[in-house]
Amino acid sequence: MTGAELTGYKAVATDGGIGKIDEATHDVDASYLVVDTGPWIFGKKVMLPAGVVNRVDHDEEKVYLDRSKDQIKAAPEYDDTSHADPAYRDRLGGYYGETYGSPSSSDRPL
């Protein structure tokens, strides 16, 4: 499967749709999706590491994610000029690693 096959699919967080996939790669150790959130968060694009993909439904053209809308909304902003920068990828990976398994940051113990 190529990344282009997912372009245009709907991205669905654990609590509802967040937009459409604008770009996808399947590079070893660097796979990601770029989702255009449209009006949901004012046209912001978000970059999601492939590890947050729960499953892909090719019949419905949907990619199901294992993060909530709030977790995705709070992610570091996507910048198409620095998305290949290792520091940006580390920050993004760190953010999603910290949010793994917690429905929202407000549910974390103090």
Side-chain angles (χ1 to χ4, degrees), residues 38-110:
W40 174 58
I41 45 178
F42 308 108
K44 177 179 171 182
K45 288 186 179 182
V46 292
M47 185 169 159
L48 308 172
V52 305
V53 173
N54 192 21
R55 68 184 175 93
V56 177
D57 185 328
H58 291 288
D59 293 332
E60 293 188 17
E61 296 189 351
K62 292 182 180 179
V63 175
Y64 292 89
L65 310 169
D66 68 357
R67 298 296 192 281
S68 70
K69 288 180 176 184
D70 285 344
Q71 288 172 320
I72 294 167
K73 187 176 182 178
E77 180 132 17
Y78 173 70
D79 179 354
D80 63 357
T81 61
S82 65
H83 71 276
D85 178 38
Y88 172 77
R89 287 184 179 246
D90 286 347
R91 194 171 75 232
L92 189 69
Y95 171 79
Y96 281 105
E98 291 171 9
T99 63
Y100 188 76
S102 68
S104 73
S105 59
S106 63
D107 290 340
R108 290 186 193 154
L110 299 176

